[in-house]
Amino acid sequence: MDLKLKGKVAMVAASSKGLGYGIAQALAQEGASLSIGSRTKKDIEAIQDDSDNLAKAALGVRFAADTITGIIDPVVAGIDRLLGVSMEGQPDTMVVGFSNGGNFLAPVKLAYGIPGTVAVYIAEAVKFVANTAAGGTELGKELKDIDNNKKIKRADDSLEIQSALVDLEDGLIEMRGQIDEIDACIAIWDEAVRNYRATLASGDRLLKEREIFRKRSAAVVQGYRVRDAALRIFRNEKLERYKSMLDLASRYTYLAAKAYDYETGLLDTTKGKRFVSRIVASRALGVIDDGTPQFAGSNSGDPGLSSVLAEMSADWEVLRGRLGFNNPDLYGTTFSLRTENYRLLPNSAGNIEWKQILENGVMENLLVDEDARQLCMQLDLGDGLPVPGIMLTFSTTIQDGYNFFGKKLAAGDHAFSPSLFATKIMGVGVALEGYEGIDYYDGDADGTFPISPNPSINPNGLSATPYIYLIPVGIDSMRSPPLGDQSGVRSWFIQDATIPTPFNIGGSDFDSKALFQSASSLTERMFNVRKHQAFRPVSSGNAFTEGPILGPAYHLNNRLVGRSVWNSRWKLIIPGKALLYDSKEGIDKFIRTVEDIKIHFETYSYSGN
């Protein structure tokens, strides 16, 4: 692995710890990976070219050696034949008068044979040299091939590692987009752990109480078996009544502390968490004077529930003026989903994209969505049939430089100021721009009403009183009151639970669920949840302005009063059954005619100074 690849691995390891890459970093990494891959391919081609050149050289040398061998072998054979013929043509003896008949021409044969033999040796040497050169070249080529194959293998391994690193980076970038949901789940898990520990502590206290009660009962039974029976019965009855009322008082005190934290955002500190824990751990009512809880004077021991309530009440009296609860800022703001959230221009191309967005939001059965099924009141028809409709999902935020939907602030956009630590809903309304058939009007400036075509003959006419749902299903966020100019973001996963009745004298099913559920019902929500009713939209955003006939209060739904406008996920649900009897026809006409959906918030905000 080369230095660049090692640097890549280190960068991926750092990203796995910090998760600091964005989309731009991902594109840059992909470009760097492509560049490295291109250079590696070029290196592989250069190595292959080197091997090919060696192969060509080895083939040339081998061809030359074979050529020389092909030439020398016939020459050597010819020289051998010539030497044989020439030697045979010379007489072996010549009688010149010597009596012994000696070999007189032996020197002549030697003179002919020596040059031929030398020529054969020279040819064989040339052949040997050529074959040796060819063999050496082929050996060098084979060795070079081995080295080049190793280099190519390493380059291929580097490319595979680089590809794996790119896949790992893509996974880390995808993980970063889910950090907020992971944090929310962690918060839910942490709350569940706290609830579990509270339940466990309650169980331990119950076991201890039973142990003490049994010991006391055993002592009483042994010592006073037959005396003061009536007194003991009445005493136990009073103790049971006291315990029941204490548990009820503890539950309401805990709910009051949670509401106090949501309104002020001041209990997210270590001391604030201990303050909430005191409610769970308390086993005494404290001091109540004429129905008013009194401060116990000290938090040592168990000061009781009255001390907790008195402390919250005293702090609240100061915070009402200091945080601006007694003089909120009131605003009415209308937001466009089309232009501010989806960034679609008011032209023909924007109209096509807007209709595509509405078509993408069409659902064959709204009951498939868990949030719609559990939070929308009477959405189910009760006959087991699907409920077609349109569902649009969006998020909201309050940040400098961004509009209400988290897009970069542009001309014509609307936003809330983060200098107000809490901006909450007083009422909400929805305008369906282009909807044909709504039977009421807000009046023009001169007090007259526009005239619309008869809905019965209008081919695009829809119900005069459509009903829709707007539900927050994500995480509520607000800022904590600033200390100086420093403020942190607080988040709550809100479950709009019903407050249990103290005695439920009618035995109503509204209180069918206890505060904590058994393991057999873990798939359901823990509490009885207040559902959201449907409300009527208007046909134009102008209805939310102060007109000569009706004001905006006539067109608002106040179900979400007190909730923060900053939520990570909203769902706008438009049931087809509220448009026409034929739900699918009503949805088609809705998509064909509605040009924009505007959401109006009447809000009140606190400075927190």
Side-chain angles (χ1 to χ4, degrees):
M1 187 183 298
D2 56 8
L3 293 178
K4 293 183 178 179
L5 193 58
K6 290 181 178 178
K8 193 71 172 178
V9 173
M11 188 159 49
V12 171
S15 67
S16 66
K17 295 179 180 178
L19 296 176
Y21 286 112
I23 300 302
Q25 289 85 345
L27 294 176
Q29 293 298 335
E30 291 181 3
S33 175
L34 181 60
S35 176
I36 293 175
S38 177
R39 290 198 300 272
T40 305
K41 289 293 185 182
K42 290 181 179 179
D43 293 340
I44 293 174
E45 291 176 0
I47 295 171
Q48 191 64 46
D49 290 341
D50 188 13
S51 297
D52 293 342
N53 291 334
L54 287 175
K56 292 177 181 178
L59 290 174
V61 175
R62 171 52 64 187
F63 176 78
D66 292 342
T67 303
I68 294 172
T69 303
I71 295 172
I72 289 176
D73 286 344
V75 171
V76 172
I79 292 174
D80 288 340
R81 288 194 296 273
L82 287 176
L83 287 176
V85 172
S86 61
M87 292 301 103
E88 292 174 0
Q90 298 295 327
D92 291 337
T93 59
M94 179 178 279
V95 177
V96 291
F98 296 100
S99 60
N100 58 359
N103 191 354
F104 180 72
L105 292 178
V108 176
K109 294 174 69 176
L110 180 62
Y112 275 98
I114 291 174
T117 302
V118 172
V120 170
Y121 285 158
I122 293 174
E124 291 292 340
V126 172
K127 177 180 177 181
F128 174 76
V129 171
N131 287 329
T132 301
T137 304
E138 289 176 348
L139 177 60
K141 183 256 182 185
E142 292 297 330
L143 295 176
K144 190 66 175 180
D145 282 344
I146 293 174
D147 294 338
N148 289 343
N149 288 334
K150 288 182 179 179
K151 293 181 180 179
I152 292 173
K153 183 62 171 60
R154 291 172 181 171
D156 290 336
D157 292 342
S158 177
L159 283 178
E160 292 179 0
I161 294 174
Q162 182 66 28
S163 176
L165 289 175
V166 171
D167 294 338
L168 179 58
E169 288 176 349
D170 293 340
L172 292 174
I173 292 172
E174 182 180 359
M175 184 191 301
R176 184 179 181 274
Q178 301 175 353
I179 289 179
D180 292 338
E181 296 184 3
I182 292 174
D183 290 340
C185 292
I186 290 174
I188 296 173
W189 174 82
D190 182 69
E191 185 68 19
V193 170
R194 294 181 183 178
N195 293 336
Y196 165 76
R197 290 176 178 173
T199 306
L200 189 61
S202 177
D204 291 337
R205 289 196 305 270
L206 181 60
L207 292 176
K208 193 66 176 178
E209 290 172 0
R210 289 183 176 180
E211 180 182 1
I212 296 174
F213 175 77
R214 288 169 180 171
K215 290 180 178 180
R216 182 177 182 85
S217 299
V220 171
V221 170
Q222 290 177 2
Y224 306 97
R225 186 179 298 271
V226 293
R227 292 184 300 170
D228 301 327
L231 176 62
R232 285 185 276 113
I233 292 174
F234 294 146
R235 182 187 59 190
N236 292 339
E237 181 181 358
K238 291 180 180 179
L239 289 176
E240 288 296 327
R241 290 180 179 179
Y242 175 82
K243 183 178 181 300
S244 299
M245 297 305 296
L246 177 63
D247 290 341
L248 182 62
S250 298
R251 182 180 303 176
Y252 279 98
T253 304
Y254 182 83
L255 294 175
K258 285 296 183 180
Y260 177 89
D261 185 34
Y262 184 76
E263 291 295 328
T264 64
L266 296 176
L267 296 184
D268 193 37
T269 61
T270 301
K271 188 175 181 180
K273 294 176 181 178
R274 287 202 302 265
F275 178 81
V276 177
S277 299
R278 283 172 49 193
I279 301 174
V280 180
S282 179
R283 299 307 303 164
L285 289 175
V287 180
I288 306 294
D289 183 12
D290 194 18
T292 302
Q294 301 297 315
F295 179 60
S298 174
N299 289 332
S300 59
D302 187 0
L305 298 176
S306 66
S307 183
V308 174
L309 293 172
E311 292 176 35
M312 283 194 296
S313 177
D315 280 2
W316 177 260
E317 291 300 324
V318 175
L319 294 175
R320 287 177 59 185
R322 183 173 179 181
L323 299 184
F325 293 140
N326 57 351
N327 55 345
D329 295 341
L330 304 178
Y331 295 104
T333 313
T334 305
F335 306 91
S336 170
L337 282 180
R338 172 170 173 166
T339 59
E340 297 185 56
N341 184 41
Y342 297 110
R343 293 304 197 195
L344 300 180
L345 297 175
N347 52 25
S348 58
N351 292 336
I352 295 175
E353 294 182 11
W354 170 250
K355 295 183 186 303
Q356 184 64 41
I357 289 173
L358 293 180
E359 290 177 355
N360 292 338
V362 175
M363 298 183 64
E364 292 294 332
N365 187 9
L366 293 173
L367 299 177
V368 174
D369 185 80
E370 180 181 358
D371 295 322
R373 184 176 67 255
Q374 295 189 358
L375 296 179
C376 294
M377 184 176 293
Q378 296 182 342
L379 180 63
D380 190 357
L381 299 178
D383 51 8
L385 297 177
V387 182
I390 299 175
M391 179 181 296
L392 299 178
T393 304
F394 58 92
S395 62
T396 57
T397 186
I398 302 177
Q399 298 185 54
D400 285 325
Y402 294 88
N403 70 1
F404 185 57
F405 298 102
K407 306 298 188 297
K408 293 182 179 180
L409 193 64
D413 284 352
H414 300 80
F416 291 108
S417 173
S419 64
L420 301 167
F421 87 93
T423 300
K424 297 187 177 182
I425 299 173
M426 184 181 299
V428 62
V430 174
L432 307 177
E433 297 283 348
Y435 184 99
E436 298 184 11
I438 293 180
D439 63 352
Y440 62 87
Y441 304 91
D442 301 296
D444 293 333
D446 57 357
T448 61
F449 292 94
I451 300 176
S452 64
N454 187 349
S456 62
I457 62 175
N458 184 1
N460 293 323
L462 295 170
S463 169
T465 56
Y467 281 86
I468 63 175
Y469 299 89
L470 180 63
I471 55 175
V473 297
I475 300 173
D476 272 17
S477 297
M478 291 182 290
R479 287 177 169 81
S480 60
L483 299 175
D485 283 335
Q486 300 297 322
S487 179
V489 177
R490 293 285 312 278
S491 297
W492 289 269
F493 186 76
I494 300 297
Q495 291 193 11
D496 196 355
T498 59
I499 298 178
T501 55
F503 301 103
N504 192 20
I505 57 177
S508 172
D509 290 337
F510 289 122
D511 294 328
S512 59
K513 284 188 177 181
L515 184 62
F516 296 101
Q517 301 297 300
S518 63
S520 61
S521 62
L522 290 179
T523 57
E524 300 295 331
R525 293 180 181 268
M526 181 175 293
F527 308 99
N528 282 320
V529 178
R530 296 177 62 227
K531 294 188 175 183
H532 295 258
Q533 77 276 17
F535 63 93
R536 290 170 58 177
V538 297
S539 60
S540 174
N542 296 329
F544 301 122
T545 60
E546 291 289 349
I549 306 300
L550 299 177
Y554 290 89
H555 314 303
L556 298 180
N557 173 33
N558 302 115
R559 170 63 178 78
L560 296 176
V561 62
R563 292 291 297 270
S564 174
V565 297
W566 183 355
N567 193 283
S568 63
R569 186 179 301 165
W570 294 80
K571 288 187 178 180
L572 179 64
I573 301 173
I574 306 171
K577 64 181 182 180
L579 303 176
L580 287 177
Y581 177 80
D582 188 343
S583 298
K584 294 185 177 179
E585 180 183 358
I587 292 173
D588 292 339
K589 289 184 178 182
F590 184 91
I591 295 175
R592 188 166 57 246
T593 57
V594 173
E595 300 174 352
D596 192 5
I597 297 178
K598 294 183 177 180
I599 300 177
H600 180 82
F601 283 102
E602 291 287 334
T603 61
Y604 58 98
S605 305
Y606 304 133
S607 62
N609 186 11

